[in-house]
Amino acid sequence: LKPLWSPFLEMFKTKKHFVVITQMITGIAFALVALSLPLNNFFCYAIALMGVIAISGATHDIAGDGVYLTELSSTQQAKYIGWQGAFYNLAKVLTNGGLVYVAGMLKNSLGITYAWMVIMLICAGLMMVLGFYHIRMLPSGGAATSRITSTSDAMKELWEVIRSFFSKKHII
């Protein structure tokens, strides 16, 4: 759904704004997941909050790519694409391996619920720290595009992206 969502983001604020706000939303949502785990109906709350995290993550991905494309020259983009891929893969290993391993180690002393609360709070803390870091360190450029000011403009932009993609030579 990201291609449908991204033209609407072009109407508001800067890409830096969306990067930072989604990191904060994700951090808060992870903290709320942690706090929901001891509750009787934790699964309903945790799933709903994970949905918020997923939407926030997709929005962050769009905005992060926007910052990358608008703020870096082609040479800089080529220079940092390897780092981007390396950190993406490192994050997968950390979350799918490292944090799950730590949860397994903690379950013996804290129990499963509190072990996963710790892991969710670590994720929350990481996202909040990154958000505060990016408030200070990300460039402020990547403003909302003035050509997209309404839902109609966003839909026209989306159609143009789809049309131009399928009109490429050798697309079939």
Side-chain angles (χ1 to χ4, degrees), residues 83-143:
W83 285 102
Q84 183 183 26
F87 278 102
Y88 176 78
N89 287 319
L90 181 65
K92 287 193 310 185
V93 170
L94 175 68
T95 56
N96 292 328
L99 292 176
V100 173
Y101 177 79
V102 171
M105 296 297 291
L106 291 175
K107 83 171 173 56
N108 296 331
S109 58
L110 299 176
I112 289 177
T113 301
Y114 291 107
W116 280 105
M117 284 178 73
V118 168
I119 298 305
M120 293 296 118
L121 289 171
I122 289 171
C123 292
L126 284 171
M127 292 309 297
M128 296 300 285
V129 166
L130 284 170
F132 286 118
Y133 173 78
H134 286 139
I135 286 172
R136 185 145 171 84
M137 297 308 292
L138 275 182
S140 294

Side-chain angles (χ1 to χ4, degrees), residues 4 9-10 45 64 72 75 91 101 109 124 126 137 143 151 162 171:
L4 303 176
L9 295 181
E10 295 290 328
Y45 303 122
L72 298 179
T75 304
Y101 177 79
S109 58
L126 284 171
M137 297 308 292
T151 303
I162 293 168
I171 190 67

Side-chain angles (χ1 to χ4, degrees), residues 2-161:
K2 287 192 304 189
L4 303 176
W5 179 230
S6 62
F8 293 97
L9 295 181
E10 295 290 328
M11 297 179 354
F12 307 104
K13 303 284 187 180
T14 64
K15 288 161 185 63
K16 175 184 177 177
H17 169 82
F18 284 110
V19 167
V20 171
I21 201 76
T22 55
Q23 287 174 330
M24 297 297 187
I25 288 169
T26 300
I28 292 167
F30 270 121
L32 291 172
V33 168
L35 296 175
S36 75
L37 293 178
L39 302 175
N40 287 333
N41 293 326
F42 77 92
F43 190 75
C44 297
Y45 303 122
I47 287 295
L49 289 164
M50 290 291 186
V52 170
I53 291 168
I55 292 167
S56 179
T59 304
H60 180 274
D61 188 42
I62 293 165
D65 287 347
V67 169
Y68 179 79
L69 292 172
T70 59
E71 296 299 320
L72 298 179
S73 68
S74 297
T75 304
Q76 290 172 315
Q77 288 175 17
K79 179 180 176 182
Y80 291 113
I81 192 67
W83 285 102
Q84 183 183 26
F87 278 102
Y88 176 78
N89 287 319
L90 181 65
K92 287 193 310 185
V93 170
L94 175 68
T95 56
N96 292 328
L99 292 176
V100 173
Y101 177 79
V102 171
M105 296 297 291
L106 291 175
K107 83 171 173 56
N108 296 331
S109 58
L110 299 176
I112 289 177
T113 301
Y114 291 107
W116 280 105
M117 284 178 73
V118 168
I119 298 305
M120 293 296 118
L121 289 171
I122 289 171
C123 292
L126 284 171
M127 292 309 297
M128 296 300 285
V129 166
L130 284 170
F132 286 118
Y133 173 78
H134 286 139
I135 286 172
R136 185 145 171 84
M137 297 308 292
L138 275 182
S140 294
T145 49
S146 59
R147 71 181 189 280
I148 300 177
T149 57
S150 68
T151 303
S152 174
D153 291 340
M155 294 308 292
K156 287 176 188 171
E157 181 75 13
L158 174 61
W159 175 249
E160 180 56 30
V161 168

